[in-house]
Amino acid sequence: MLREPSVAAPIGEQARPTPNLGRLQADLQQFAELGATADSGVSRLAYTPLEREAHQLIARRMRDAGLEVRVDPFGNTIGVRPGRRAGTAAIASGSHLDSVPNGGRFDGTVGVLSALEVMRLLREQGLETEHPLWLVVFAAEEGARFGAPCLGSKAVTGLLTSDDLTRLRDAQGIALGEAMRGVGCQPETLGRERWSARDLAAFLEVHIEQARVLETEGRPIGLVDGIAGNTRVRLIVSGRADHSGATPMHLRRDALAAAAEIILGVEALARDPRRRSTVATVGRIEIEPNNLTTVPGRAVLSVDVRDIDSDRQRVTAREVAQLAYRVGERRAAQVLVELITDSSPAVLPIWLRQHVAEVCTELGIDFRVMNSGAGHDAAVVARVVPAAMVFIPSRDGASHSPQESSSLADIGRGVEVLYHAVLRLDRVLAELEGLG
Ligand SMILES: [Zn+2]
């Protein structure tokens, strides 16, 4: 564990290279073209050929920046810049390149390109570090395709099970393991490669905020304290499909009407003012037979419950299930509850956040400490290696939509913070290791 950092040299003017915003913008544009949608969004789903294309493009950029690149069996792309001290744990930074369907161009990509820009700046400055530096691009961060998020980071931290490879399926019924093999990954090696504190000293992720707190307060940087966990369940409501003309109202067992009642109940649960930080969403519904003249016989709902408080997260998920059973009983519909995925909230280590906070202060960049309602690879990595997250403002808080946007100036500030955080961490850790 890191002790209170001793003297870290103040950041002088010469040692403050300016991020190259032109090349950042050009790269952002290139990635935006991979899976571009008609309304300037991006659809680059987890473990699809388009996601692989984005990884191949970043691998080329990494090699141009002098990194040694490898792709692990789960599709994570890792670029390594050697350090002066062989055998020391690396300092890593990165994010993801997959998106939700018709998502934005900035989610994940900004963190990957910020880490790349740091590597380029170090090279241009002719700087070596004591520790190796890793640029990590995780596969399959978004849970949109398989219901469960952060699959690439979970695979290397022991949080993905072989059961998940067959159990998690996309809307077409394709199992996770099958999809991984389809794009050249080797999911059968799960468990063989696992990251630990011996490999990595710290992981730093720059990310767009995806909300409007920073913009509203006029602050350029957010340092993340806690990251919400999520419990996701599937509710299967079975009623009876009947003729919509011939069946009188009192004899119906309408699965969709029951589902509607459950959806409003879920919203009311999360809006309860005693639950300060809970959010709950029914983001997906499938009905059968989905026909104008048939009383719906079956409805399948996916519910996503998130909280930074793990007790409230689990209690709310349990209450969602109870609510569904109650509605089902009253409406003579059968309700089945299946767990899709469950991950705990993460509290990121204070010492590492403090380290980044001191860098912001030295650079004269205003910041605030905040929670993240959205999940991130950093929360997964934090289970095995100290992790920190740096948020930059999102215009109008828009995210997971084509409207997602962040200014180049804000991206540039994120790069600066990351650049100096990496260099300072390298010095501080080297001093401690020298003492030890
Ligand atoms: Zn993201």
Side-chain angles (χ1 to χ4, degrees), residues 60-377:
R60 287 198 293 278
R61 292 285 184 277
M62 288 191 210
R63 287 193 193 99
D64 292 345
L67 308 186
E68 241 169 72
V69 182
R70 70 187 176 95
V71 181
D72 78 9
F74 318 104
N76 301 312
T77 302
I78 300 153
V80 179
R81 188 177 197 265
R84 270 198 291 249
R85 297 186 188 196
T88 51
I91 298 170
S93 176
S95 194
H96 62 96
L97 287 172
D98 63 319
S99 82
V100 298
N102 208 19
R105 312 156 151 222
F106 295 80
D107 181 352
T109 309
V110 159
V112 170
L113 293 180
S114 297
L116 175 67
E117 182 62 15
V118 167
M119 296 291 196
R120 287 166 162 170
L121 290 174
L122 287 172
R123 192 182 207 208
E124 286 158 6
Q125 297 289 306
L127 286 179
E128 284 186 325
T129 50
E130 300 295 337
H131 302 80
L133 303 183
W134 286 12
L135 197 173
V136 183
V137 184
F138 287 113
E141 191 271 347
E142 300 290 356
R145 183 171 176 197
F146 293 101
C150 303
L151 301 171
S153 53
K154 282 175 179 163
V156 289
T157 51
L159 295 169
L160 193 73
T161 64
S162 49
D163 179 49
D164 292 332
L165 297 175
T166 48
R167 191 181 58 87
L168 295 173
R169 285 174 185 272
D170 70 4
Q172 273 74 52
I174 300 170
L176 171 61
E178 204 184 320
M180 288 169 93
R181 269 188 291 274
V183 291
C185 299
Q186 299 93 40
E188 61 283 353
T189 66
L190 188 67
R192 259 182 253 167
E193 172 165 342
R194 194 175 292 188
W195 294 2
S196 76
R198 271 192 306 279
D199 312 306
L200 281 187
F203 175 72
L204 307 167
E205 182 171 6
V206 173
H207 204 280
I208 57 167
E209 182 202 342
Q210 307 181 278
R212 51 178 80 80
V213 175
L214 293 175
E215 187 183 70
T216 308
E217 292 187 356
R219 282 192 228 247
I221 293 288
L223 301 181
V224 178
D225 181 6
I227 301 176
N230 58 73
T231 304
R232 295 177 185 171
V233 293
R234 189 177 294 117
L235 305 176
I236 302 159
V237 184
S238 305
R240 201 182 123 142
D242 277 310
H243 193 291
S244 70
T247 317
M249 296 309 286
H250 73 283
L251 289 180
R252 293 183 181 204
R253 293 166 55 205
D254 185 330
L256 183 58
E261 209 178 316
I262 294 169
I263 294 169
L264 291 176
V266 168
E267 186 191 41
L269 266 180
R271 288 180 75 110
D272 181 336
R274 283 166 300 180
R275 262 180 254 266
R276 296 175 298 263
S277 51
T278 311
V279 291
T281 312
V282 179
R284 191 154 136 188
I285 178 164
E286 293 148 63
I287 66 163
E288 288 168 28
N290 203 14
N291 174 39
L292 176 64
T293 54
T294 310
V295 176
R298 186 176 135 105
V300 181
L301 314 179
S302 303
V303 192
D304 177 19
V305 177
R306 306 199 198 200
D307 208 311
I308 49 158
D309 178 313
S310 63
D311 285 344
R312 274 204 305 267
Q313 176 191 325
R314 271 64 185 242
V315 166
T316 306
R318 216 173 304 131
E319 286 175 0
V320 165
Q322 286 159 357
L323 160 83
Y325 290 134
R326 268 201 315 277
V327 171
E329 217 171 75
R330 193 154 27 76
R331 290 177 161 271
Q334 192 199 28
V335 172
L336 270 176
V337 181
E338 285 176 359
L339 182 69
I340 303 171
T341 182
D342 179 74
S343 32
S344 299
V347 176
L348 301 182
I350 297 171
W351 71 263
L352 190 54
R353 185 174 67 248
Q354 184 57 25
H355 173 86
V356 185
E358 281 165 26
V359 165
C360 290
T361 306
E362 283 172 22
L363 292 171
I365 295 177
D366 193 16
F367 66 94
R368 68 160 284 159
V369 174
M370 61 195 297
N371 285 319
S372 171
H376 295 288
D377 289 311

Side-chain angles (χ1 to χ4, degrees), residues 22-41:
R23 75 182 160 200
L24 270 168
Q25 186 172 31
D27 278 340
L28 267 171
Q29 182 55 38
Q30 270 225 298
F31 280 95
E33 283 161 17
L34 294 175
T37 59
D39 49 0
S40 335

Side-chain angles (χ1 to χ4, degrees), residues 18-26 117 408-413 415:
T18 316
N20 186 331
L21 299 184
R23 75 182 160 200
L24 270 168
Q25 186 172 31
E117 182 62 15
L408 271 177
D410 283 335
I411 297 173
R413 253 186 302 269
V415 170

